[in-house]
Amino acid sequence: MTGIEITRRPARRSLLVSAVAGSVATTAAALGSPAGAMLCLAGIAVLVAGVATARHGLVDGGGLVAFLGVVFAATEGATAGPVVFGTAATVVAWDAGGNAVSLGRQLGNRVDSLRVEFLHAVAGAVVGLTTALVGLVLFRLGPTRQPVTTLFVLLLAAVLLVVALNR
Amino acid sequence: MSDGDRSDEPDGGDPESGRRPERSDGGADLEAAASGSDATASADESTAGESPESGAVSGGAATDVAAGRSAADEESEIDEGSAAGEAGATTVREMHLVSTNHWVGVATVSFLTAGLGVVLRSRPLFLAAVVGVGYLAYANATEAPEPSISVTRSVADPDPEPGDRVRVTVTVTNTGDEVLSDLRIVEQVPDAIAVVDGPARTATALRPGASVTFAYTVLARRGRFTFEGIDVIARNVSGSRERVLDLATAETTITCLPGLDATDTVPLQGLTSPYTGRVSTDSAGEGVEFASLREYHHGDALSRLDWNRYARDGELATMEFREERMATVVVLVELRRAAYLQVGEDGPHVADRSIDATRRLFNSLIATGDRVGVAALAPDDVWLAPGAGPTHQAEARRLLATHPALSPTPPSGRLYVPGYLKTLLSRLDDDAQIVFVSPVPDITSAYIARALHVRDHPVTVVSPDPTRTDTPGRTLAAAERSNRLASLRRAGIRVVDWEGDERLAEALERARRRWSA
């Protein structure tokens, strides 16, 4: 008559968000190059496996590989739209995966955490989509004469600002 | 019934998943009710009316409690009906703020991407880096919220029988004005009781005023258990920071008293009090069992004259019988740290068996009319002076079930044995005998038994056997214990060796046969 054990890994349903976001990323990469899509798919597979076994390392590694797939597609000549949305989808997949693993480790797989996970994923997706849209609009309407180096310096400044604000 | 269904399914969360969105909707209904929507309010009332008083089992009733509190004017009678004095206020015992390191690395990846974009003159890559910077800002923009929550806990049965399954329903309400976007709640179930169904934890998001209810089932066992806290982890929406809180809640107690079941008659030794009882003594007088004949003295009762002898040779003689007297017994249960032994990985705890045996012995001795007391060989003082009668029995029942020293967890302190013996001896009546319930885990137990025995308090050792013989080490431990028991027997102490799969009555009967032979 012993009590139930807590299985410290995410519930099966938690795989869903990562898998859906991951397939969006793969589709986006496929618009650029099939090889990039394959890389992306492999990364997502590792990521989902990481969620299933509650291993942060696998989730992070898989997310990075999936993103490399998107980057590869970009170098192969993918247009801005698929690359930007692919990036956002990859981040959402990785973010949702990491969140699911932390939930699984803290609460076990018998807790119904779908609501929290869904909320988290939606918030992440909204941020990604907004940034992507703003970026794209600026990309289309903005002064295209600027060399990329100038933009890079601006981006550097933005990052430093974000970091400095949080010190 | 739903318990059975749930435990059968490996994916046990399903029935709850169907309910949980309803609960959040319930929160929405609640707001509507507060703003005066008649339809919603009446629907709420009808639900509450259908739920029986003990309906906390369903989990729905507890939600109504929270609803009742917020919209108190509309459902005040429900509030009084089922809240039953449980204030929901919580106090923070411990809080710390930590970084989850969830977004660490995003900055690096964004930079590398941007750099690659510059090198390759690729604007799409550059835009991808912009997305990364957006996430970086998102991760750092918010801080983990400081949750202000109330917790209401109700148990289906605060006084269960041992082995009963008790449904515990917990309702957590966001009483602050911040949205708690990621709230992870872990109930602090008392150490000694097992959760047998439903996780005692949940994860949810709560708007101000909204509440979540979760329920789980524990298996009641002897003792008093207090639910008094809850662990909460509140994350910000991006999951970059989390606040870990240990909250003290209102106390909810389960008190589980075992029944009055006794064992067979306990064989006692010949030390007795002057009062009439059931232990046959060597002194002759009034009784049942024939002892001797003696010359008639003036004033002897006519019923005790040996009329056969008078008829034979005309001499008057008086028959004497063994006097049956009452015994004073102190049941001493060994609860030193060394006595907390477990049989195998999953077997019963031998301390639990000892306490159970103490209870049965006590009830049996009380039933046979002896004066019985209880003492525990434990760091904490446990002493119930010998007595008789129903009040005494009730007192002992409560003590054996709920005294903290008799809890199923081993004591932290150490016992100074000579000091304890001195105290015990000063408390014992001169005519008290000892029933020592102990697994005899080491030489100290044997020493205690002998020390009491030589000070004219005859000792009967009832020894639950915690040993096994499946490995050489365990066989050695079993042999050592058996040697200790043998040395006790040599010292004239009666020993009842109570094996693991044996009933106490059988062990006593086996020992009695050996002693009378």
Side-chain angles (χ1 to χ4, degrees), chain B residues 357-374:
Chain B
T358 305
R359 182 173 59 82
R360 287 167 188 275
L361 291 168
F362 182 94
N363 288 329
S364 166
L365 288 165
I366 279 273
T368 49
D370 297 300
R371 294 174 67 238
V372 201
V374 176

PDB file of all heavy atoms in Angstrom, chain B residues 357-374:
ATOM      1  N   ALA B 357       0.877  -3.717  18.348  1.00  0.00           N
ATOM      2  CA  ALA B 357       0.834  -4.775  19.364  1.00  0.00           C
ATOM      3  C   ALA B 357       0.545  -4.176  20.735  1.00  0.00           C
ATOM      4  O   ALA B 357      -0.239  -4.731  21.509  1.00  0.00           O
ATOM      5  CB  ALA B 357       2.162  -5.518  19.381  1.00  0.00           C
ATOM      6  N   THR B 358       1.148  -3.016  21.025  1.00  0.00           N
ATOM      7  CA  THR B 358       0.916  -2.357  22.307  1.00  0.00           C
ATOM      8  C   THR B 358      -0.567  -2.076  22.494  1.00  0.00           C
ATOM      9  O   THR B 358      -1.142  -2.310  23.553  1.00  0.00           O
ATOM     10  CB  THR B 358       1.695  -1.030  22.342  1.00  0.00           C
ATOM     11  OG1 THR B 358       3.049  -1.305  22.061  1.00  0.00           O
ATOM     12  CG2 THR B 358       1.569  -0.356  23.693  1.00  0.00           C
ATOM     13  N   ARG B 359      -1.175  -1.582  21.409  1.00  0.00           N
ATOM     14  CA  ARG B 359      -2.590  -1.248  21.475  1.00  0.00           C
ATOM     15  C   ARG B 359      -3.435  -2.497  21.748  1.00  0.00           C
ATOM     16  O   ARG B 359      -4.312  -2.502  22.608  1.00  0.00           O
ATOM     17  CB  ARG B 359      -2.987  -0.624  20.139  1.00  0.00           C
ATOM     18  CG  ARG B 359      -4.402  -0.159  20.030  1.00  0.00           C
ATOM     19  CD  ARG B 359      -4.564   0.583  18.714  1.00  0.00           C
ATOM     20  NE  ARG B 359      -4.227  -0.262  17.577  1.00  0.00           N
ATOM     21  CZ  ARG B 359      -5.064  -1.141  17.037  1.00  0.00           C
ATOM     22  NH1 ARG B 359      -6.267  -1.306  17.539  1.00  0.00           N
ATOM     23  NH2 ARG B 359      -4.696  -1.874  16.008  1.00  0.00           N
ATOM     24  N   ARG B 360      -3.133  -3.584  21.037  1.00  0.00           N
ATOM     25  CA  ARG B 360      -3.908  -4.813  21.225  1.00  0.00           C
ATOM     26  C   ARG B 360      -3.706  -5.384  22.625  1.00  0.00           C
ATOM     27  O   ARG B 360      -4.658  -5.824  23.281  1.00  0.00           O
ATOM     28  CB  ARG B 360      -3.498  -5.850  20.188  1.00  0.00           C
ATOM     29  CG  ARG B 360      -3.992  -5.525  18.805  1.00  0.00           C
ATOM     30  CD  ARG B 360      -3.305  -6.384  17.778  1.00  0.00           C
ATOM     31  NE  ARG B 360      -3.636  -5.942  16.444  1.00  0.00           N
ATOM     32  CZ  ARG B 360      -4.721  -6.327  15.783  1.00  0.00           C
ATOM     33  NH1 ARG B 360      -5.563  -7.160  16.349  1.00  0.00           N
ATOM     34  NH2 ARG B 360      -4.969  -5.869  14.579  1.00  0.00           N
ATOM     35  N   LEU B 361      -2.445  -5.395  23.064  1.00  0.00           N
ATOM     36  CA  LEU B 361      -2.156  -5.923  24.397  1.00  0.00           C
ATOM     37  C   LEU B 361      -2.893  -5.106  25.444  1.00  0.00           C
ATOM     38  O   LEU B 361      -3.505  -5.640  26.368  1.00  0.00           O
ATOM     39  CB  LEU B 361      -0.644  -5.874  24.664  1.00  0.00           C
ATOM     40  CG  LEU B 361       0.213  -6.838  23.842  1.00  0.00           C
ATOM     41  CD1 LEU B 361       1.684  -6.494  23.989  1.00  0.00           C
ATOM     42  CD2 LEU B 361      -0.042  -8.273  24.290  1.00  0.00           C
ATOM     43  N   PHE B 362      -2.849  -3.791  25.267  1.00  0.00           N
ATOM     44  CA  PHE B 362      -3.511  -2.903  26.221  1.00  0.00           C
ATOM     45  C   PHE B 362      -4.998  -3.219  26.294  1.00  0.00           C
ATOM     46  O   PHE B 362      -5.556  -3.416  27.377  1.00  0.00           O
ATOM     47  CB  PHE B 362      -3.297  -1.446  25.799  1.00  0.00           C
ATOM     48  CG  PHE B 362      -3.909  -0.466  26.741  1.00  0.00           C
ATOM     49  CD1 PHE B 362      -3.164   0.092  27.772  1.00  0.00           C
ATOM     50  CD2 PHE B 362      -5.244  -0.095  26.622  1.00  0.00           C
ATOM     51  CE1 PHE B 362      -3.733   0.978  28.647  1.00  0.00           C
ATOM     52  CE2 PHE B 362      -5.820   0.795  27.495  1.00  0.00           C
ATOM     53  CZ  PHE B 362      -5.061   1.343  28.514  1.00  0.00           C
ATOM     54  N   ASN B 363      -5.646  -3.276  25.131  1.00  0.00           N
ATOM     55  CA  ASN B 363      -7.091  -3.507  25.110  1.00  0.00           C
ATOM     56  C   ASN B 363      -7.440  -4.867  25.691  1.00  0.00           C
ATOM     57  O   ASN B 363      -8.432  -5.015  26.403  1.00  0.00           O
ATOM     58  CB  ASN B 363      -7.618  -3.389  23.682  1.00  0.00           C
ATOM     59  CG  ASN B 363      -7.609  -1.954  23.207  1.00  0.00           C
ATOM     60  OD1 ASN B 363      -7.780  -1.045  24.015  1.00  0.00           O
ATOM     61  ND2 ASN B 363      -7.392  -1.738  21.930  1.00  0.00           N
ATOM     62  N   SER B 364      -6.590  -5.856  25.399  1.00  0.00           N
ATOM     63  CA  SER B 364      -6.851  -7.190  25.902  1.00  0.00           C
ATOM     64  C   SER B 364      -6.712  -7.229  27.427  1.00  0.00           C
ATOM     65  O   SER B 364      -7.538  -7.821  28.131  1.00  0.00           O
ATOM     66  CB  SER B 364      -5.873  -8.148  25.241  1.00  0.00           C
ATOM     67  OG  SER B 364      -5.855  -9.352  25.903  1.00  0.00           O
ATOM     68  N   LEU B 365      -5.679  -6.577  27.945  1.00  0.00           N
ATOM     69  CA  LEU B 365      -5.455  -6.566  29.398  1.00  0.00           C
ATOM     70  C   LEU B 365      -6.562  -5.804  30.109  1.00  0.00           C
ATOM     71  O   LEU B 365      -7.034  -6.209  31.169  1.00  0.00           O
ATOM     72  CB  LEU B 365      -4.094  -5.932  29.706  1.00  0.00           C
ATOM     73  CG  LEU B 365      -2.882  -6.796  29.343  1.00  0.00           C
ATOM     74  CD1 LEU B 365      -1.618  -5.970  29.343  1.00  0.00           C
ATOM     75  CD2 LEU B 365      -2.761  -7.953  30.318  1.00  0.00           C
ATOM     76  N   ILE B 366      -6.993  -4.696  29.516  1.00  0.00           N
ATOM     77  CA  ILE B 366      -8.093  -3.926  30.093  1.00  0.00           C
ATOM     78  C   ILE B 366      -9.350  -4.793  30.151  1.00  0.00           C
ATOM     79  O   ILE B 366     -10.080  -4.823  31.146  1.00  0.00           O
ATOM     80  CB  ILE B 366      -8.365  -2.663  29.243  1.00  0.00           C
ATOM     81  CG1 ILE B 366      -7.377  -1.560  29.587  1.00  0.00           C
ATOM     82  CG2 ILE B 366      -9.788  -2.174  29.403  1.00  0.00           C
ATOM     83  CD1 ILE B 366      -7.789  -0.692  30.748  1.00  0.00           C
ATOM     84  N   ALA B 367      -9.572  -5.555  29.077  1.00  0.00           N
ATOM     85  CA  ALA B 367     -10.784  -6.363  29.000  1.00  0.00           C
ATOM     86  C   ALA B 367     -10.771  -7.475  30.031  1.00  0.00           C
ATOM     87  O   ALA B 367     -11.824  -7.919  30.486  1.00  0.00           O
ATOM     88  CB  ALA B 367     -10.925  -6.941  27.593  1.00  0.00           C
ATOM     89  N   THR B 368      -9.587  -7.980  30.409  1.00  0.00           N
ATOM     90  CA  THR B 368      -9.530  -9.034  31.413  1.00  0.00           C
ATOM     91  C   THR B 368      -9.464  -8.463  32.820  1.00  0.00           C
ATOM     92  O   THR B 368      -9.232  -9.195  33.780  1.00  0.00           O
ATOM     93  CB  THR B 368      -8.321  -9.961  31.168  1.00  0.00           C
ATOM     94  OG1 THR B 368      -7.165  -9.154  30.986  1.00  0.00           O
ATOM     95  CG2 THR B 368      -8.540 -10.819  29.960  1.00  0.00           C
ATOM     96  N   GLY B 369      -9.641  -7.177  32.946  1.00  0.00           N
ATOM     97  CA  GLY B 369      -9.797  -6.587  34.264  1.00  0.00           C
ATOM     98  C   GLY B 369      -8.508  -6.215  34.966  1.00  0.00           C
ATOM     99  O   GLY B 369      -8.494  -5.991  36.167  1.00  0.00           O
ATOM    100  N   ASP B 370      -7.415  -6.154  34.242  1.00  0.00           N
ATOM    101  CA  ASP B 370      -6.166  -5.751  34.876  1.00  0.00           C
ATOM    102  C   ASP B 370      -6.005  -4.236  34.792  1.00  0.00           C
ATOM    103  O   ASP B 370      -6.649  -3.572  33.985  1.00  0.00           O
ATOM    104  CB  ASP B 370      -4.987  -6.436  34.179  1.00  0.00           C
ATOM    105  CG  ASP B 370      -5.063  -7.941  34.329  1.00  0.00           C
ATOM    106  OD1 ASP B 370      -5.060  -8.409  35.468  1.00  0.00           O
ATOM    107  OD2 ASP B 370      -5.164  -8.628  33.287  1.00  0.00           O
ATOM    108  N   ARG B 371      -5.122  -3.741  35.642  1.00  0.00           N
ATOM    109  CA  ARG B 371      -4.791  -2.320  35.559  1.00  0.00           C
ATOM    110  C   ARG B 371      -3.611  -2.188  34.614  1.00  0.00           C
ATOM    111  O   ARG B 371      -2.587  -2.848  34.794  1.00  0.00           O
ATOM    112  CB  ARG B 371      -4.439  -1.764  36.942  1.00  0.00           C
ATOM    113  CG  ARG B 371      -5.621  -1.764  37.899  1.00  0.00           C
ATOM    114  CD  ARG B 371      -5.207  -1.352  39.286  1.00  0.00           C
ATOM    115  NE  ARG B 371      -4.786   0.049  39.344  1.00  0.00           N
ATOM    116  CZ  ARG B 371      -3.593   0.447  39.749  1.00  0.00           C
ATOM    117  NH1 ARG B 371      -2.689  -0.435  40.110  1.00  0.00           N
ATOM    118  NH2 ARG B 371      -3.289   1.721  39.785  1.00  0.00           N
ATOM    119  N   VAL B 372      -3.763  -1.359  33.608  1.00  0.00           N
ATOM    120  CA  VAL B 372      -2.749  -1.309  32.558  1.00  0.00           C
ATOM    121  C   VAL B 372      -2.269   0.126  32.368  1.00  0.00           C
ATOM    122  O   VAL B 372      -3.061   1.077  32.373  1.00  0.00           O
ATOM    123  CB  VAL B 372      -3.299  -1.813  31.205  1.00  0.00           C
ATOM    124  CG1 VAL B 372      -2.151  -2.232  30.313  1.00  0.00           C
ATOM    125  CG2 VAL B 372      -4.269  -2.931  31.389  1.00  0.00           C
ATOM    126  N   GLY B 373      -0.974   0.274  32.187  1.00  0.00           N
ATOM    127  CA  GLY B 373      -0.397   1.569  31.847  1.00  0.00           C
ATOM    128  C   GLY B 373       0.415   1.437  30.573  1.00  0.00           C
ATOM    129  O   GLY B 373       0.646   0.337  30.077  1.00  0.00           O
ATOM    130  N   VAL B 374       0.813   2.579  30.036  1.00  0.00           N
ATOM    131  CA  VAL B 374       1.599   2.571  28.804  1.00  0.00           C
ATOM    132  C   VAL B 374       2.822   3.447  29.015  1.00  0.00           C
ATOM    133  O   VAL B 374       2.728   4.539  29.574  1.00  0.00           O
ATOM    134  CB  VAL B 374       0.784   3.109  27.610  1.00  0.00           C
ATOM    135  CG1 VAL B 374       1.647   3.191  26.361  1.00  0.00           C
ATOM    136  CG2 VAL B 374      -0.423   2.236  27.349  1.00  0.00           C
TER     137      VAL B 374
END
